[in-house]
Amino acid sequence: DQQVKQNSPSLSVQEGRISILNCDYTNSMFDYFLWYKKYPAEGPTFLISISSIKDKNEDGRFTVFLNKSAKHLSLHIVPSQPGDSAVYFCAANLRQGAQKLVFGQGTRLTINP
Amino acid sequence: EAGVAQSPRYKIIEKRQSVAFWCNPISGHATLYWYQQILGQGPKLLIQFQNNGVVDDSQLPKDRFSAERLKGVDSTLKIQPAKLEDSAVYLCASSLEPGRRPYFGAGTRLSVL
């Protein structure tokens, strides 16, 4: 049962353009969403988060949008830079019980010069 | 501030052998997680500790996997006996408390031949 889904395994974007990574979830009990970035041979590093009481959060070039009715969130990177090439994971925090994070499968973003 | 430390970084074993991974979380972080990341998938939570107690091990294959967190600080994850499908990156993460964003270590890449 995949509660958090990233349906695009890969995405290729021209440097300077906008990158949009998408994530869908099924469980309405998720109350906090995070994006992590992962380079090869490194652990995931936190990028940006959003609480379920908001619909947008911005941090520099990174903006996360949350559409609760559609159970969808997206990460926008503007402008995209070569250093943004990495695997991006969407994660959702389950309000009940142990409050654990559930991760999506990841999207590999490649920024072309 | 030192990050989450994990060792070894790489391990190659034959099936049916045993293996152990070690994790030292960020100082003061009460919550510790072990995740398994199979190639092409997102991290999957194996076990979550709060101090030295287990709060979630619902996805831990208990017939072969075990984990402990003595004294509420360092943790070890053991696999005995290993199977081919255990080949993955094992990520340790820690957070101040459940529901707060985890910080990840670099992981241990396990290859079972």
Side-chain angles (χ1 to χ4, degrees), chain B:
Chain B
E1 179 184 76
V4 176
Q6 290 189 246
S7 67
R9 290 296 313 275
Y10 304 92
K11 191 73 178 179
I12 301 174
I13 62 172
E14 295 187 350
K15 60 183 179 183
R16 292 188 290 274
Q17 287 187 323
S18 62
V19 64
F21 313 127
W22 172 83
C23 173
N24 181 239
I26 293 173
S27 177
H29 281 196
T31 309
L32 185 146
Y33 315 79
W34 283 102
Y35 285 86
Q36 179 193 57
Q37 186 186 3
I38 293 172
L39 188 64
Q41 299 181 18
K44 182 183 82 171
L45 181 68
L46 293 175
I47 189 167
Q48 179 176 337
F49 291 94
Q50 181 64 18
N51 296 310
N52 61 350
V54 175
V55 295
D56 188 335
D57 62 357
S58 57
Q59 298 194 90
L60 186 74
K62 298 180 187 63
D63 57 335
R64 299 183 300 105
F65 286 65
S66 64
E68 60 182 10
R69 190 184 184 196
L70 300 175
K71 301 180 183 177
V73 182
D74 292 8
S75 177
T76 56
L77 175 70
K78 296 179 182 177
I79 308 174
Q80 181 180 11
K83 292 185 175 181
L84 296 176
E85 59 261 36
D86 298 332
S87 294
V89 175
Y90 290 85
L91 295 161
C92 179
S94 69
S95 64
L96 280 170
E97 58 190 23
R100 300 285 293 270
R101 67 177 175 94
Y103 293 78
F104 284 84
T108 296
R109 179 175 296 277
L110 174 67
S111 297
V112 183
L113 307 178

